[in-house]
Amino acid sequence: MYLEFFSVYRYFKEYIEASGGLLELKKALDWSVWYAVKWWREIRETGAAGDNVFAKSLYTSLLLQGFIDEDGNIKKEVERPELPKGLYAREWVEMHERFDQLGAAKIARDEVDRNALEILYSDIQIQGWHRIMIKTFLKAARMVSGLAILEPYSKEGHLAVLVYEDYAPSLYVGYEPNAALVDIAKSVAPQARFIAAPSACDIREKFDAVLLIEKMQWMPDPAKELECIKKALKGGGLLYIAQPVVESMPGYLAITSALGAVHVFTWKQVENLLKMHFTLEKRLIKTMPFYGAVWAHPER
Amino acid sequence: MQLVFHVVKNCKCGNVVYVEVPQREELSIRCPKCGASIQISADEFVEEVKLRDCEVRDWERIGALSTTVQQMVLQALESGRAPKGLWPLLVKLRDVGALICT
């Protein structure tokens, strides 16, 4: 699970330092596993492990990482980790704790207060570790200024804010099926343009870059959506992708799943979907703390 | 609770002028002290959320936020101003009745 630490350190040094160092980061990541096992146990014991993305994400990630067997029985117990001392590492643990307070079984049964989940989503977007993680990824992926950027599923516009803080895009367009979120995004990032649209198929302009940062889980039909994204991308244009996958942090994946995801993927599934329309330019990391890569439009 | 744009400009007479507008646009103003013209480009404005009179009505909701974000919300309430990144969260807290703003 931690085999990728070298790559992570190479590209995400700032993120690790902000977490308080490698050891602190490991402690924080251990908590994600600990909570995932806890939530899985709770939803199994209460018979809530039905057909929902939250339960599926817990099952697939814990199975793949050897914590449960195919029948869902826990085969590897996880000891309660030591609390990290670093500010951002603690913030990460606290995010799991807040989610835990909502009740895993309630979430799996869809009985949880939806407003609480909505508020948690906004909370996560402004947490320090999340900002640092995205900014570090964009830097590692060698993002530059002057690009016409398309952001699928732009939600509340937080990503646009981060991009404008460090770069100067020539154009920034976000599309989002939820019109209420489009209005919020317009207020959060007034320099950008946000459109209420269900898919990239409705976008007529051409872009130099697409930002797929924690986005693929929202796509009802990822293959079709990626095909439309390809049409919106100029020849040789780049697609920057950072996607939590089942080999990543099981707790965080479960949280993002509970916040309205439609799918969970392995890193290989992500690559197979991308391969249908794009060519791999550079893979930064396979799984830790997410799948991170740059893909290109095949026509130069 | 509304989104506003502000800028602080130094006039050549040394006077510090604070300008707040509801929309980001190019502006020409007169210094209230010396009457000199001050040009402000749209890019110079900084967005922020002006909270006016907001108070917490549901401490449980606020307590459920992460510690850092709780502090950001409480500081925003205290100062009457919030960074724009906090806007979506503040809107949701207002919509669920955790914050009452007049």
Side-chain angles (χ1 to χ4, degrees), chain A residues 87 91 94 98 101 113 115-116 118-119 121-123 126-127 156 158 161 181 184 186-188 190-191, chain B residues 3 5 24 47 61 63-70 72 84-89 91-93 95-96 98:
Chain A
L87 171 67
E91 205 181 32
E94 197 187 5
R98 300 292 183 199
Q101 285 163 358
D113 172 9
N115 290 323
E118 292 286 326
I119 288 169
Y121 173 81
S122 302
D123 187 330
I126 41 180
Q127 286 181 18
E156 298 170 352
H158 294 283
V161 173
L181 291 182
I184 288 179
K186 284 176 182 171
S187 300
V188 171
Q191 313 95 310
Chain B
L3 203 72
F5 300 86
R24 185 197 285 268
E47 312 91 75
R61 286 262 190 221
L65 299 172
S66 62
T67 313
T68 317
V69 176
Q70 263 182 54
M72 286 167 81
K84 63 188 169 163
L86 217 51
W87 174 259
L89 180 70
V91 168
K92 286 177 188 174
L93 290 172
D95 290 350
V96 297

Side-chain angles (χ1 to χ4, degrees), chain B:
Chain B
M1 195 162 85
Q2 70 171 129
L3 203 72
V4 294
F5 300 86
H6 77 259
V7 66
V8 179
K9 295 284 283 187
N10 286 316
C11 179
K12 56 188 176 191
C13 71
N15 189 27
V16 178
V17 184
Y18 176 82
V19 183
E20 187 180 289
V21 289
Q23 270 187 322
R24 185 197 285 268
E25 57 191 354
E26 215 170 272
L27 206 64
S28 176
I29 56 160
R30 295 257 166 219
C31 170
K33 194 175 171 191
C34 70
S37 170
I38 301 171
Q39 300 297 320
I40 308 166
S41 73
D43 294 346
E44 289 180 85
F45 284 101
V46 176
E47 312 91 75
E48 66 173 1
V49 181
K50 204 167 181 182
L51 294 174
R52 300 186 196 282
D53 281 333
C54 285
E55 60 175 273
V56 176
R57 281 289 168 89
D58 183 350
W59 282 100
E60 214 170 292
R61 286 262 190 221
I62 305 294
L65 299 172
S66 62
T67 313
T68 317
V69 176
Q70 263 182 54
Q71 288 308 315
M72 286 167 81
V73 170
L74 295 177
Q75 278 178 11
L77 292 177
E78 202 179 356
S79 67
R81 289 170 183 275
K84 63 188 169 163
L86 217 51
W87 174 259
L89 180 70
L90 293 172
V91 168
K92 286 177 188 174
L93 290 172
R94 185 194 61 189
D95 290 350
V96 297
L99 284 182
I100 304 287
C101 300
T102 52

Side-chain angles (χ1 to χ4, degrees), chain A residues 180-202:
Chain A
L181 291 182
V182 169
D183 287 340
I184 288 179
K186 284 176 182 171
S187 300
V188 171
Q191 313 95 310
R193 191 146 59 85
F194 294 98
I195 302 165
S199 160
C201 307
D202 300 313

Side-chain angles (χ1 to χ4, degrees), chain A residues 10-273:
Chain A
R10 186 172 162 205
Y11 293 112
F12 295 88
K13 201 168 162 225
E14 284 172 37
Y15 177 64
I16 291 166
E17 281 169 1
S19 301
L22 263 181
L23 198 63
E24 289 293 286
L25 181 66
K26 186 186 173 299
K27 281 182 204 164
L29 300 181
D30 284 345
W31 275 97
S32 195
V33 176
W34 187 82
Y35 270 114
V37 173
K38 177 181 186 287
W39 298 334
W40 177 250
R41 180 177 280 124
E42 284 174 11
I43 65 173
R44 284 258 296 173
E45 283 172 1
T46 53
D51 187 23
N52 59 77
V53 184
F54 172 59
K56 190 188 166 192
S57 76
L58 284 171
Y59 175 79
T60 48
S61 57
L62 292 174
L63 176 68
L64 210 111
Q65 296 184 27
F67 293 101
I68 60 172
D69 64 22
E70 282 195 0
D71 296 326
N73 302 310
I74 293 167
K75 63 176 192 181
K76 197 157 83 183
E77 287 294 339
V78 183
E79 270 186 44
R80 194 181 171 90
E82 193 186 326
L83 261 182
K85 292 177 191 70
L87 171 67
Y88 298 111
R90 281 195 89 121
E91 205 181 32
W92 161 269
V93 178
E94 197 187 5
M95 170 189 64
H96 288 74
E97 195 183 325
R98 300 292 183 199
F99 181 81
D100 182 60
Q101 285 163 358
L102 298 175
K106 271 189 181 177
I107 291 164
R109 284 206 198 92
D110 201 16
E111 288 170 0
V112 77
D113 172 9
R114 292 304 302 175
N115 290 323
L117 285 176
E118 292 286 326
I119 288 169
L120 180 69
Y121 173 81
S122 302
D123 187 330
I124 292 171
Q125 301 309 305
I126 41 180
Q127 286 181 18
W129 71 268
H130 196 258
R131 285 171 52 86
I132 295 167
M133 188 179 78
I134 291 174
K135 285 190 166 208
T136 312
F137 168 72
L138 290 174
K139 199 173 163 188
R142 298 185 186 280
M143 176 79 179
V144 291
S145 288
L147 301 177
I149 294 173
L150 176 67
E151 184 197 350
Y153 297 85
S154 44
K155 299 279 171 193
E156 298 170 352
H158 294 283
L159 180 57
V161 173
L162 299 186
V163 170
Y164 274 98
E165 277 176 12
D166 294 341
Y167 308 94
S170 61
L171 171 71
Y172 194 107
V173 176
Y175 68 87
E176 161 61 44
N178 184 334
L181 291 182
V182 169
D183 287 340
I184 288 179
K186 284 176 182 171
S187 300
V188 171
Q191 313 95 310
R193 191 146 59 85
F194 294 98
I195 302 165
S199 160
C201 307
D202 300 313
I203 307 292
R204 293 284 162 263
E205 287 151 298
K206 292 276 186 184
F207 298 86
D208 304 305
V210 172
L211 298 184
L212 273 189
I213 297 177
E214 297 185 316
K215 305 292 185 187
M216 274 182 72
Q217 72 273 17
W218 310 114
M219 298 175 179
D221 185 345
K224 186 180 173 216
E225 193 59 33
L226 290 170
E227 189 183 344
C228 293
I229 286 173
K230 182 189 169 190
K231 285 178 187 160
L233 198 57
K234 290 177 189 168
L238 297 176
L239 184 144
Y240 298 84
I241 175 162
Q243 179 64 36
V245 288
V246 296
E247 297 91 339
S248 309
M249 292 297 100
Y252 183 58
L253 183 77
I255 293 171
T256 56
S257 300
L259 295 175
V262 191
H263 304 288
V264 286
F265 305 97
T266 62
W267 74 267
K268 203 72 199 161
Q269 285 169 334
V270 169
E271 288 214 333
N272 287 339
L273 282 163

